[in-house]
């Protein structure tokens, strides 16, 4: 409900409309600000957890469960699932499942690390409705802070905005 979040949502929606100008005719809908928040947080957590659990970030996958605000007939949900489909020698520093017991620590560290990107101030000032069409679905996000291996991301490193989660 914060004004800053509502303002950022308008910017992200404007970028989405630039990328999908015929969305209404195709039955497509803007995924919503909650999806951007959850997806961004999932990428932050994947990076953070991979540093401590022994799995490569590319071995951890995300699944975002998010209904749109006010969506008719949908159960209200907002959740992140991190999983791995690989087995073997990775994960010897406590495994991915065990990291759930330290979720508060991982959230704190992920948020702390996300405040600064090696490409700031350029990255932190990105707006979806400005710039190149290839960035229309992105806010403050780049290879320095949020992008992960595309095999790990269910949305091909789109629908991300660090500025929604932390001050940039």
């Amino acid at each position: 409900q914060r004004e800053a979040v509502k303002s950022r949502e308008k910017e992200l929606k404007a970028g989405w409309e630039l990328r999908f100008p015929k969305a209404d005719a195709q039955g497509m809908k803007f995924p919503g600000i909650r999806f951007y928040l959850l997806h961004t947080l999932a990428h932050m957590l994947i990076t953070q957890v991979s540093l401590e659990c022994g799995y490569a970030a590319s071995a951890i996958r995300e699944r975002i469960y998010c209904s749109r605000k006010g969506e008719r007939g949908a159960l209200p949900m907002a959740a992140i699932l991190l999983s791995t489909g690989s087995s073997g020698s990775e994960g010897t520093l406590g495994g991915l499942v065990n990291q759930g017991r330290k979720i508060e620590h991982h959230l704190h560290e992920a948020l702390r690390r996300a405040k600064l990107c090696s490409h700031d101030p350029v990255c932190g000032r990105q707006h979806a409705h400005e710039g190149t069409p290839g960035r229309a679905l992105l806010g403050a996000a780049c290879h320095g802070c949020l992008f992960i291996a595309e095999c790990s991301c269910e949305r091909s490193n789109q629908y991300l905005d660090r500025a929604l989660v932390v001050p940039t």
Side-chain angles (χ1 to χ4, degrees):
Q1 298 301 317
R2 293 181 184 169
E3 286 305 314
V5 174
K6 289 178 183 180
S7 173
R8 196 68 176 186
E9 180 177 28
K10 287 178 187 174
E11 292 176 15
L12 292 167
K13 188 171 184 182
W16 186 86
E17 289 169 348
L18 282 172
R19 175 67 178 85
F20 302 111
K22 298 178 183 179
D24 288 336
Q26 297 171 348
M28 295 173 58
K29 294 182 180 175
F30 177 65
I33 199 70
R34 286 193 325 167
F35 184 87
Y36 271 86
L37 285 161
L38 288 169
H39 194 216
T40 301
L41 185 58
H43 282 227
M44 291 174 178
L45 283 171
I46 285 172
T47 302
Q48 168 58 30
V49 167
S50 75
L51 294 172
E52 293 192 31
C53 76
Y55 279 99
S58 61
I60 302 172
R61 290 173 179 79
E62 68 179 4
R63 180 75 173 128
I64 311 299
Y65 298 91
C66 182
S67 58
R68 288 180 191 86
K69 185 179 174 183
E71 186 175 12
R72 208 183 260 181
L75 294 173
M77 62 181 148
I80 300 167
L81 172 68
L82 301 183
S83 65
T84 183
S86 64
S87 61
S89 63
E90 288 192 338
T92 57
L93 299 176
L96 188 58
V97 172
N98 196 40
Q99 299 307 310
R101 294 183 178 97
K102 300 192 293 185
I103 191 67
E104 187 175 342
H105 164 74
H106 290 306
L107 280 168
H108 174 76
E109 285 300 304
L111 294 171
R112 184 185 65 78
R113 285 190 170 127
K115 289 179 184 175
L116 187 61
C117 171
S118 60
H119 296 117
D120 279 339
V122 175
C123 176
R125 293 180 182 160
Q126 292 290 327
H127 296 278
H129 66 290
E130 300 172 344
T132 62
R135 290 198 49 88
L137 303 177
L138 296 167
C142 72
H143 288 284
C145 58
L146 287 178
F147 290 179
I148 58 175
E150 291 207 8
C151 60
S152 297
C153 178
E154 67 179 11
R155 295 294 178 111
S156 302
N157 285 319
Q158 299 294 310
Y159 305 101
L160 298 166
D161 187 9
R162 187 169 52 101
L164 279 171
V165 182
V166 295
T168 57

